[in-house]
Amino acid sequence: MTTIGIIGAGHIGSQVARKAVELGYDVVISNSRGPETLTDLVAELGPRARAATAAEAAAAGDFAVVTVPLKNYRDIPAEPLAGKVVIDTNNYYWERDGRIPALDKGEATTSGLLQEHLPQSRVAKGFNHIMAKDITTDGSPAGTENRRALATASDYPDAAELVTRLYDEFGFDTVNIGRLEDSWRVERDRPAYVKRQNAGELKDNLARAPRTI
């Protein structure tokens, strides 16, 4: 059975963990405060989940989900993620993260920054433009009329394919934006951000996105 290493146990990380164990995945989850602070969450998740350090979660996962504040992305352990797909949920909140000129000027993307930090990993954008609570409640079976769609982007086709498969299991269609350099189209405050939309609507919103806000 596939194990997901989740680095970050906040709103998105905990919701991804809940849905993953429901689907039969094993989960190793971490946060910045230490495994002992995740006792209640792991008890809720059940026997398929355990708490660990970030490095341990990275090493244990067949693939990983990184869901930490953007200002902390350089703290993600690179060595245990080498050769693995890493799903990045990051968004840039300058009020929290401080100003990052390359993002303000439209010269970089949040997931592109993580890819630079993890040069031996295959980063894909995922789960960044959906409210955390909707991850476990808003999915529907494939073929459902008006099924909600989420976007991904990656420089590696197999990473985008993994996100597409995971989205489908979680109950969502996928729109592939393309490379990470174009993932800004689904970042904060663009038309597709945290909005319920089907695949056609998502494509339209991606096309309307301005490069800078």
Side-chain angles (χ1 to χ4, degrees):
M1 178 53 62
T2 300
T3 298
I4 307 177
I6 301 179
I7 301 174
H11 296 301
I12 294 176
S14 59
Q15 286 293 83
V16 169
R18 290 182 178 103
K19 190 64 179 180
V21 297
E22 177 187 319
L23 292 168
Y25 286 94
D26 293 325
V27 167
V28 182
I29 191 166
S30 67
N31 66 7
S32 61
R33 294 176 294 144
E36 66 279 1
T37 66
L38 296 172
T39 302
D40 291 345
L41 176 61
V42 169
E44 175 199 336
L45 293 173
R48 289 198 174 278
R50 66 180 176 90
T53 66
E56 290 167 343
D62 296 297
F63 65 91
V65 177
V66 168
T67 178
V68 302
L70 180 63
K71 64 182 179 179
N72 298 329
Y73 79 91
R74 292 185 182 88
D75 296 333
I76 301 302
E79 184 176 352
L81 292 172
K84 298 181 181 181
V85 171
V86 176
I87 302 173
D88 172 48
T89 77
N90 257 324
N91 288 298
Y92 172 40
Y93 293 100
W94 60 264
E95 304 92 335
R96 174 197 66 192
D97 302 317
R99 287 291 187 182
I100 302 174
L103 296 178
D104 292 333
K105 296 175 183 178
E107 298 170 350
T109 66
T110 57
S111 294
L113 293 177
L114 184 63
Q115 181 67 81
E116 291 177 7
H117 175 66
L118 302 175
Q120 297 183 66
S121 302
R122 304 187 302 284
V123 172
K125 195 75 174 176
F127 294 109
N128 77 300
H129 57 291
I130 179 172
M131 297 293 291
K133 63 182 179 60
D134 293 343
I135 291 172
T136 56
T137 61
D138 219 23
S140 57
T144 300
E145 184 178 1
N146 209 37
R147 191 189 200 202
R148 185 168 183 171
L150 299 175
T152 191
S154 181
D155 296 342
Y156 300 91
D158 68 319
E161 289 167 7
L162 188 152
V163 176
T164 298
R165 184 173 71 250
L166 192 66
Y167 277 170
D168 187 54
E169 292 172 347
F170 276 45
F172 305 101
D173 286 340
T174 302
V175 174
N176 190 331
I177 299 172
R179 296 178 62 85
L180 289 181
E181 65 186 13
D182 294 316
S183 61
W184 56 268
R185 292 184 178 277
V186 76
E187 290 181 351
R188 177 192 178 186
D189 293 337
R190 272 75 175 187
Y193 188 66
V194 295
K195 181 177 182 180
R196 196 201 186 286
Q197 54 214 312
N198 62 30
E201 292 165 338
L202 177 52
K203 290 176 183 177
D204 289 343
N205 285 329
L206 292 170
R208 294 193 299 113
R211 183 63 183 92
T212 56
I213 300 294

mmCIF file of all heavy atoms in Angstrom, residues 2 13-14 22 28 33 41 50 69 89 99 102 119 131 141 157 176-177 187 191 196 209:
data_model
loop_
_atom_site.group_PDB
_atom_site.id
_atom_site.type_symbol
_atom_site.label_atom_id
_atom_site.label_comp_id
_atom_site.label_asym_id
_atom_site.label_seq_id
_atom_site.Cartn_x
_atom_site.Cartn_y
_atom_site.Cartn_z
ATOM 1 N N THR A 2 0.462 2.263 -0.728
ATOM 2 C CA THR A 2 1.230 3.495 -0.850
ATOM 3 C C THR A 2 1.206 4.290 0.454
ATOM 4 O O THR A 2 0.171 4.426 1.101
ATOM 5 C CB THR A 2 0.658 4.363 -1.983
ATOM 6 O OG1 THR A 2 0.729 3.632 -3.207
ATOM 7 C CG2 THR A 2 1.441 5.662 -2.125
ATOM 8 N N GLY A 13 -2.937 20.006 5.327
ATOM 9 C CA GLY A 13 -2.272 18.741 5.599
ATOM 10 C C GLY A 13 -3.151 17.753 6.340
ATOM 11 O O GLY A 13 -3.190 16.560 5.995
ATOM 12 N N SER A 14 -3.859 18.218 7.344
ATOM 13 C CA SER A 14 -4.709 17.316 8.109
ATOM 14 C C SER A 14 -5.900 16.827 7.288
ATOM 15 O O SER A 14 -6.320 15.667 7.405
ATOM 16 C CB SER A 14 -5.192 17.987 9.396
ATOM 17 O OG SER A 14 -5.915 19.172 9.125
ATOM 18 N N GLU A 22 -8.916 7.454 4.597
ATOM 19 C CA GLU A 22 -10.232 6.951 4.202
ATOM 20 C C GLU A 22 -10.136 6.112 2.935
ATOM 21 O O GLU A 22 -10.852 5.104 2.779
ATOM 22 C CB GLU A 22 -11.184 8.127 3.983
ATOM 23 C CG GLU A 22 -12.583 7.751 3.505
ATOM 24 C CD GLU A 22 -13.410 8.970 3.140
ATOM 25 O OE1 GLU A 22 -13.345 9.973 3.877
ATOM 26 O OE2 GLU A 22 -14.110 8.925 2.107
ATOM 27 N N VAL A 28 2.232 9.225 6.999
ATOM 28 C CA VAL A 28 3.193 9.649 8.011
ATOM 29 C C VAL A 28 3.199 11.168 7.971
ATOM 30 O O VAL A 28 3.544 11.770 6.956
ATOM 31 C CB VAL A 28 4.595 9.078 7.743
ATOM 32 C CG1 VAL A 28 5.554 9.513 8.844
ATOM 33 C CG2 VAL A 28 4.549 7.551 7.664
ATOM 34 N N ARG A 33 6.473 21.437 15.185
ATOM 35 C CA ARG A 33 6.544 21.431 16.653
ATOM 36 C C ARG A 33 6.900 20.080 17.248
ATOM 37 O O ARG A 33 7.127 19.967 18.437
ATOM 38 C CB ARG A 33 5.206 21.916 17.231
ATOM 39 C CG ARG A 33 4.908 23.372 16.909
ATOM 40 C CD ARG A 33 3.544 23.781 17.412
ATOM 41 N NE ARG A 33 2.485 23.069 16.701
ATOM 42 C CZ ARG A 33 1.350 22.649 17.258
ATOM 43 N NH1 ARG A 33 1.149 22.829 18.555
ATOM 44 N NH2 ARG A 33 0.441 22.033 16.540
ATOM 45 N N LEU A 41 -4.469 14.175 16.537
ATOM 46 C CA LEU A 41 -4.757 13.989 15.117
ATOM 47 C C LEU A 41 -4.505 12.546 14.700
ATOM 48 O O LEU A 41 -5.337 11.944 13.998
ATOM 49 C CB LEU A 41 -3.895 14.928 14.275
ATOM 50 C CG LEU A 41 -4.038 14.769 12.754
ATOM 51 C CD1 LEU A 41 -5.462 15.043 12.302
ATOM 52 C CD2 LEU A 41 -3.060 15.696 12.022
ATOM 53 N N ARG A 50 0.704 7.693 11.400
ATOM 54 C CA ARG A 50 1.612 7.898 12.527
ATOM 55 C C ARG A 50 2.286 9.253 12.377
ATOM 56 O O ARG A 50 2.394 9.802 11.274
ATOM 57 C CB ARG A 50 2.650 6.794 12.628
ATOM 58 C CG ARG A 50 3.650 6.710 11.483
ATOM 59 C CD ARG A 50 4.618 5.555 11.717
ATOM 60 N NE ARG A 50 5.539 5.380 10.608
ATOM 61 C CZ ARG A 50 6.728 5.976 10.509
ATOM 62 N NH1 ARG A 50 7.125 6.811 11.462
ATOM 63 N NH2 ARG A 50 7.520 5.745 9.470
ATOM 64 N N PRO A 69 3.895 26.982 5.601
ATOM 65 C CA PRO A 69 3.923 28.370 5.149
ATOM 66 C C PRO A 69 5.092 28.592 4.194
ATOM 67 O O PRO A 69 6.196 28.076 4.402
ATOM 68 C CB PRO A 69 4.100 29.161 6.445
ATOM 69 C CG PRO A 69 3.503 28.282 7.502
ATOM 70 C CD PRO A 69 3.849 26.889 7.075
ATOM 71 N N THR A 89 1.463 22.558 -1.931
ATOM 72 C CA THR A 89 0.187 23.257 -1.753
ATOM 73 C C THR A 89 0.374 24.747 -1.477
ATOM 74 O O THR A 89 -0.599 25.443 -1.180
ATOM 75 C CB THR A 89 -0.610 22.658 -0.575
ATOM 76 O OG1 THR A 89 -0.064 23.125 0.670
ATOM 77 C CG2 THR A 89 -0.596 21.141 -0.600
ATOM 78 N N ARG A 99 7.690 40.012 2.127
ATOM 79 C CA ARG A 99 7.727 40.268 0.696
ATOM 80 C C ARG A 99 8.819 39.442 0.020
ATOM 81 O O ARG A 99 9.949 39.359 0.509
ATOM 82 C CB ARG A 99 7.979 41.748 0.423
ATOM 83 C CG ARG A 99 6.781 42.630 0.710
ATOM 84 C CD ARG A 99 5.667 42.387 -0.302
ATOM 85 N NE ARG A 99 4.570 43.334 -0.165
ATOM 86 C CZ ARG A 99 3.465 43.288 -0.914
ATOM 87 N NH1 ARG A 99 3.325 42.358 -1.841
ATOM 88 N NH2 ARG A 99 2.505 44.171 -0.733
ATOM 89 N N ALA A 102 10.733 38.402 -6.188
ATOM 90 C CA ALA A 102 10.584 37.618 -7.423
ATOM 91 C C ALA A 102 9.136 37.226 -7.667
ATOM 92 O O ALA A 102 8.698 37.124 -8.825
ATOM 93 C CB ALA A 102 11.458 36.368 -7.364
ATOM 94 N N PRO A 119 16.078 20.149 -5.927
ATOM 95 C CA PRO A 119 16.452 19.903 -7.326
ATOM 96 C C PRO A 119 16.407 18.439 -7.738
ATOM 97 O O PRO A 119 16.328 18.144 -8.933
ATOM 98 C CB PRO A 119 17.878 20.461 -7.409
ATOM 99 C CG PRO A 119 18.407 20.392 -6.011
ATOM 100 C CD PRO A 119 17.220 20.681 -5.139
ATOM 101 N N MET A 131 -10.518 25.419 -0.505
ATOM 102 C CA MET A 131 -10.601 25.560 0.937
ATOM 103 C C MET A 131 -10.366 24.198 1.585
ATOM 104 O O MET A 131 -10.852 23.171 1.104
ATOM 105 C CB MET A 131 -11.975 26.097 1.340
ATOM 106 C CG MET A 131 -12.274 27.490 0.818
ATOM 107 S SD MET A 131 -11.215 28.771 1.556
ATOM 108 C CE MET A 131 -11.840 28.782 3.238
ATOM 109 N N PRO A 141 -17.973 11.196 -7.580
ATOM 110 C CA PRO A 141 -17.452 10.155 -8.460
ATOM 111 C C PRO A 141 -17.150 10.667 -9.865
ATOM 112 O O PRO A 141 -17.755 11.636 -10.342
ATOM 113 C CB PRO A 141 -18.581 9.117 -8.478
ATOM 114 C CG PRO A 141 -19.348 9.362 -7.222
ATOM 115 C CD PRO A 141 -19.287 10.834 -7.007
ATOM 116 N N PRO A 157 6.062 15.084 -16.273
ATOM 117 C CA PRO A 157 4.761 14.489 -16.591
ATOM 118 C C PRO A 157 4.292 13.466 -15.572
ATOM 119 O O PRO A 157 3.097 13.410 -15.257
ATOM 120 C CB PRO A 157 4.986 13.860 -17.966
ATOM 121 C CG PRO A 157 6.067 14.685 -18.595
ATOM 122 C CD PRO A 157 6.974 15.042 -17.458
ATOM 123 N N ASN A 176 -4.616 20.344 -16.277
ATOM 124 C CA ASN A 176 -3.167 20.466 -16.223
ATOM 125 C C ASN A 176 -2.760 21.792 -16.850
ATOM 126 O O ASN A 176 -2.958 22.013 -18.048
ATOM 127 C CB ASN A 176 -2.522 19.294 -16.964
ATOM 128 C CG ASN A 176 -1.015 19.224 -16.748
ATOM 129 O OD1 ASN A 176 -0.361 20.230 -16.530
ATOM 130 N ND2 ASN A 176 -0.465 18.022 -16.827
ATOM 131 N N ILE A 177 -2.187 22.679 -16.048
ATOM 132 C CA ILE A 177 -1.787 23.997 -16.523
ATOM 133 C C ILE A 177 -0.576 23.901 -17.445
ATOM 134 O O ILE A 177 -0.424 24.674 -18.382
ATOM 135 C CB ILE A 177 -1.449 24.917 -15.329
ATOM 136 C CG1 ILE A 177 -2.673 25.098 -14.425
ATOM 137 C CG2 ILE A 177 -0.955 26.282 -15.807
ATOM 138 C CD1 ILE A 177 -2.366 25.822 -13.122
ATOM 139 N N GLU A 187 -2.644 30.703 -8.505
ATOM 140 C CA GLU A 187 -2.209 31.183 -7.203
ATOM 141 C C GLU A 187 -3.194 32.211 -6.640
ATOM 142 O O GLU A 187 -4.186 32.575 -7.272
ATOM 143 C CB GLU A 187 -0.789 31.748 -7.305
ATOM 144 C CG GLU A 187 0.250 30.649 -7.530
ATOM 145 C CD GLU A 187 1.673 31.173 -7.616
ATOM 146 O OE1 GLU A 187 1.865 32.404 -7.666
ATOM 147 O OE2 GLU A 187 2.601 30.341 -7.647
ATOM 148 N N PRO A 191 -8.534 34.409 -10.712
ATOM 149 C CA PRO A 191 -9.939 34.015 -10.852
ATOM 150 C C PRO A 191 -10.256 32.573 -10.431
ATOM 151 O O PRO A 191 -11.383 32.290 -10.030
ATOM 152 C CB PRO A 191 -10.200 34.218 -12.352
ATOM 153 C CG PRO A 191 -9.241 35.281 -12.766
ATOM 154 C CD PRO A 191 -8.009 35.034 -11.962
ATOM 155 N N ARG A 196 -15.330 27.176 -6.481
ATOM 156 C CA ARG A 196 -15.846 25.915 -6.986
ATOM 157 C C ARG A 196 -16.114 26.050 -8.482
ATOM 158 O O ARG A 196 -16.852 26.924 -8.911
ATOM 159 C CB ARG A 196 -17.134 25.505 -6.278
ATOM 160 C CG ARG A 196 -17.443 24.042 -6.507
ATOM 161 C CD ARG A 196 -18.884 23.665 -6.281
ATOM 162 N NE ARG A 196 -19.029 22.216 -6.403
ATOM 163 C CZ ARG A 196 -18.997 21.540 -7.552
ATOM 164 N NH1 ARG A 196 -18.798 22.191 -8.704
ATOM 165 N NH2 ARG A 196 -19.121 20.228 -7.577
ATOM 166 N N ALA A 209 -6.401 34.783 -15.930
ATOM 167 C CA ALA A 209 -5.572 35.181 -14.781
ATOM 168 C C ALA A 209 -4.533 36.224 -15.178
ATOM 169 O O ALA A 209 -3.833 36.068 -16.179
ATOM 170 C CB ALA A 209 -4.873 33.952 -14.218
#
